[in-house]
Amino acid sequence: MTVHVLIFGAAASAAGSDRVMVVVGDHPTVDEISAALAEQHPALRFALSAPRLAVNGAFAGRETVVAECDEVALITLVGGG
Amino acid sequence: MMIAAIIVDGPLAPEVEERALAAHSAERAALLRSGSVGATVRFEGIVRRDESDPDHPGVARGLIALDYQTYDPMAQRELECLARSVGVRHGLESVVALHSRGRVGVGEVSFVLEIRSSRRAEAMAAMADFIDRLKRDVPIWKRPVWA
């Protein structure tokens, strides 16, 4: 299935977009989506050393299974303050 | 424990801060009157003129502003969750955290953290803890606007 991943900050600047698509198997886990991001979007690799994904607006564990209608966001190192 | 964690559009000028905290003003005043507070520590994050240029590491470059981008509503929720967590961990009387969204010019305030506790040591430790975790856990990014 195709997962649209929201991206922000330096990752969005590097990709030239505020979202990217990854193609993964059905019922992918967060870990599988992270791996697909690195493989399918080399420009984002700098941001994927310790990637955390949020699913539907909350940090998700590595084994969390993502459904087609879930909102997925890549939370790279943030820099508020 | 009193908690206020709010994301506000634009710079945190004093009148903006006052408006954002209007709903908490009675509670804040009552806390001070209660006699349980022995220390207030306040931090303001201000946009600096010079920022390291990501394209040329080690080289400082002039800014005119920072654009703060938030992932909503997660950012608001995580900011509130962080304030509560730090408040409980350090046994605080109150935590007020305000963060800007959007453009904040050089010299303007983008982040306010005010911590009250019965003793100074807890408030100082909580301040460092909060800021470290803010940068790690609250989805707010800053984008430089170069001069």
Side-chain angles (χ1 to χ4, degrees), chain B residues 23-46:
Chain B
H24 299 276
S25 61
E27 200 182 356
R28 294 175 81 205
L31 178 64
L32 284 179
R33 280 197 308 272
S34 74
S36 61
V37 173
T40 298
V41 178
R42 181 181 167 92
F43 171 84
E44 292 184 357
I46 299 169

Side-chain angles (χ1 to χ4, degrees), chain A residues 6-9 13 52 54 56-59 71 73-81, chain B residues 45 68-71 74 77-78 99 110-111 134-143:
Chain A
L6 303 177
I7 54 176
F8 304 90
S13 299
R52 285 192 296 174
N56 299 325
F59 287 116
E71 180 176 285
L74 172 64
I75 311 294
T76 52
L77 187 64
V78 295
Chain B
Y68 287 92
Q69 181 186 24
T70 59
Y71 175 36
M74 183 179 177
R77 204 169 45 240
E78 289 294 324
H99 203 298
S110 62
F111 174 58
L134 171 78
K135 288 175 180 290
R136 196 186 63 206
D137 294 338
V138 182
I140 301 175
W141 294 266
K142 53 188 176 191
R143 208 179 328 214

Side-chain angles (χ1 to χ4, degrees), chain A residues 6-44:
Chain A
L6 303 177
I7 54 176
F8 304 90
S13 299
S17 173
D18 60 1
R19 66 192 61 212
V20 292
M21 275 184 344
V22 288
V23 179
V24 286
D26 285 342
H27 314 296
T29 64
V30 159
D31 248 3
E32 288 166 346
I33 293 173
S34 297
L37 272 170
E39 190 187 315
Q40 296 171 30
H41 297 279
L44 295 181

Side-chain angles (χ1 to χ4, degrees), chain B residues 37-105:
Chain B
V37 173
T40 298
V41 178
R42 181 181 167 92
F43 171 84
E44 292 184 357
I46 299 169
V47 177
R48 268 194 320 267
R49 185 172 307 283
D50 293 331
E51 186 80 10
S52 162
D53 184 347
D55 296 328
H56 303 91
V59 177
R61 193 171 159 192
L63 280 180
I64 54 171
L66 287 174
D67 271 335
Y68 287 92
Q69 181 186 24
T70 59
Y71 175 36
D72 299 316
M74 183 179 177
Q76 171 66 48
R77 204 169 45 240
E78 289 294 324
L79 188 64
E80 206 169 316
C81 175
L82 174 58
R84 201 166 296 285
S85 163
V86 168
V88 169
R89 180 189 284 188
H90 296 275
L92 306 177
E93 298 292 333
S94 72
V95 180
V96 170
L98 303 174
H99 203 298
S100 292
R101 179 201 292 117
R103 185 159 295 194
V104 180

